[in-house]
Amino acid sequence: MTNATPRPMRLDALAYGGDYNPDQWPEEVWHEDVRLMREAGVNLVSLPVFSWPQLETSPGVYEWGWLDRVIEVLWAGGIRVDLATATATPPAWLVRRHPEMLPWDADGRRLEFGSRQAYCPSSPVWREHVARMARAMAERYGEHPAVVLWHVSNEYGDHVARCWCPESAAHFRRWLEARHGDLDGLNEAWGVNVWGQRYTAWEQVEPPRRATGPINPTQLLDFERFSSDALLELFRVEVDVLREVTPELPVTTNFMSIFRELDYWRFAEVEDLVTDDAYPDPADPRAHVPAALNYGLMRSLKGGQPWLLLEQAASAVSWRDVNVPKAPGRMRIDSLQAIAHGSDGAMFFQWRQARYGQEKFHSAMLGHRGERSRSFRETAAFGRELQRLAPVKGARVRSRVALVVDWDSWWGSSAAESLPSQRLGWLAQARAWHGALHALGHAVDAVRATGPFDGYDLVVVPNLYVTDAAQADALAAFAAAGGTVVVGPFSGVVDPTETVHPGGAPGPLRELLGIEVDEPWPVPDGRAERIELDGVGYDAPVWTEWIEASPEASVVARFAAGVLDGRPAVTRRGHGDGAAWYVGAALAEDGLVEVMRRALADAGLPARDRIDRDLEAVTRADDATDFTFVLNHGDHEVVVAVPDGAEDLLGGGTVGPRLVLPPLGAAVLAAPRAAEPPFVTLSETTE
Ligand code: GLA
């Protein structure tokens, strides 16, 4: 059930607002809430995410009255509703009636009620009840004009992404049977002759519980796939009901940024709108860099369609060990960053700060001090300012660079306990590669390894541990047609059953890359090898490889120390009208930046000569206009060269050719759409 024509959300402005939990407050507060929401420019709220127990107080006994009244109060105030199906957490009465729906951990311990998400994703009882609740919500509120979006469940997998209970085990067996056909297929795929694991009956097959030693890696990988699919099935249970009762209303479920446990490519196929919850750590001065990767993924999950930042913090969160508030201006620049990257709005968790419960120290738009709280002053000011950005709604980010995100490779290279090194880290590599391109001035999209690659000049593949022929063919076709591909270490290693490709890595990528990997050569902790690139040395910590380059491949950089001294480290092979690079090492940041600089040049793309990692520029465009967001994430002034005469939607008036951005400063430049997206650099002159 893919969703080829996403239903649009009926909201004629950028979305602004937050999670609203009116059932934590007396009714008179709701009226004050709406008054203050209007003052803050709020036009959308998400509710009632965790309210099932307040809506169905005992089996079949519904208390709709309070929610009816809240929705009326909001509607009267002109505020739209992102209506949750309220299935993010089960009522206690349901759990006590059906304790078998509680999830188990890998040690076989049942997880108790007392937090949220107390359900096994495979539980038939849970599935039956969420379908019932979604139907009840849809039938009661689906026609209400205030309701513009369905918010299914909440952050699937946040607390319980994997379950090892007997129901999950049975579901896993059914899933395996569908994937592998029969036990012979399973035994072959799992390579059971190693360590004698042949199965002769399906009942013998279990999810990977804690075992005596390292577990079969294909069993682990299949369990990751299965667990993501089990939650996707659960999502579909609700989506099917909602589509039946309210076929016009768009559906979303809020994602958790770039999240290992769920294959968001597949989730996004089902929904109409991608929404994300993002919590860059204010204590990390570089947090905007991984945030850009995350947002690149969000806009790419539905092929560039605008997405929505559904949750962020106005200031501090309450779930880190140390929860640093956002300095004045940080919430604004963080919000602008998400919008720059294609979000059609900026929303928060939550509207009014709780006074009790697990999240009472989590900031909100309206802090404990109410109207007098700094978070209210800042969010209200930003809500008003946001109205100036109305023209960017619907515009799409212009990017010529994409990074391959592949959940199979992420799972395969991290679930197994028997790898050349446990240190490579799929996400760390993806972030490092993205970070280098970010430093060089590019907004990076995400893409599947099979594409589509239309519109890109450069596709980078930080890690594709699990590779099949379709992926290799798609990458080769992109290069043949003139694209530049850069593939990172430990790619093309295994097929989807985790069987090493004949002849070893890079398997089906061998022809394209023109190299063979004789052996991975991981680097011991605390040490680093060196590579030399154009006469300059760079560190290669964590991972190197013994590479044999074919005569067709040229050597771009060589190792410059240790056993691999003089051997190829980075290679390039021309392929059709394009080229394919291989980077056989995990490089430290400076080296990676230099490799990416050369790859960008090979792809005919610009790169910043001088780098300031706090400067970010992203262009969203509609048919007529380029909207270039120029953002200074840092605590120092940045002087930027921009196209002359552009209109600044935020500051008003025209700017250029120099633009001075104070700490946390931003401009959104509107100019007629150019053939190439504007490329923003630091100014060469400080005058
Ligand atoms: C997630 C959840 C919210 C809330 C916030 C707190 O995003 O979806 O319900 O718990 O975290 O940061």
Side-chain angles (χ1 to χ4, degrees), residues 459-483:
V459 171
V460 301
V461 191
N463 176 268
L464 198 62
Y465 169 67
V466 180
T467 312
D468 64 19
Q471 295 169 329
D473 290 350
L475 291 165
F478 170 69

Side-chain angles (χ1 to χ4, degrees), residues 50 116 154-155 254 277 279 311 317 319 349 359 362:
F50 300 104
R116 59 181 175 182
N154 189 66
E155 293 195 338
N254 47 339
D277 302 346
Y279 292 95
E311 289 184 27
V317 299
W319 40 262
F349 179 86
E359 300 189 297
H362 195 292

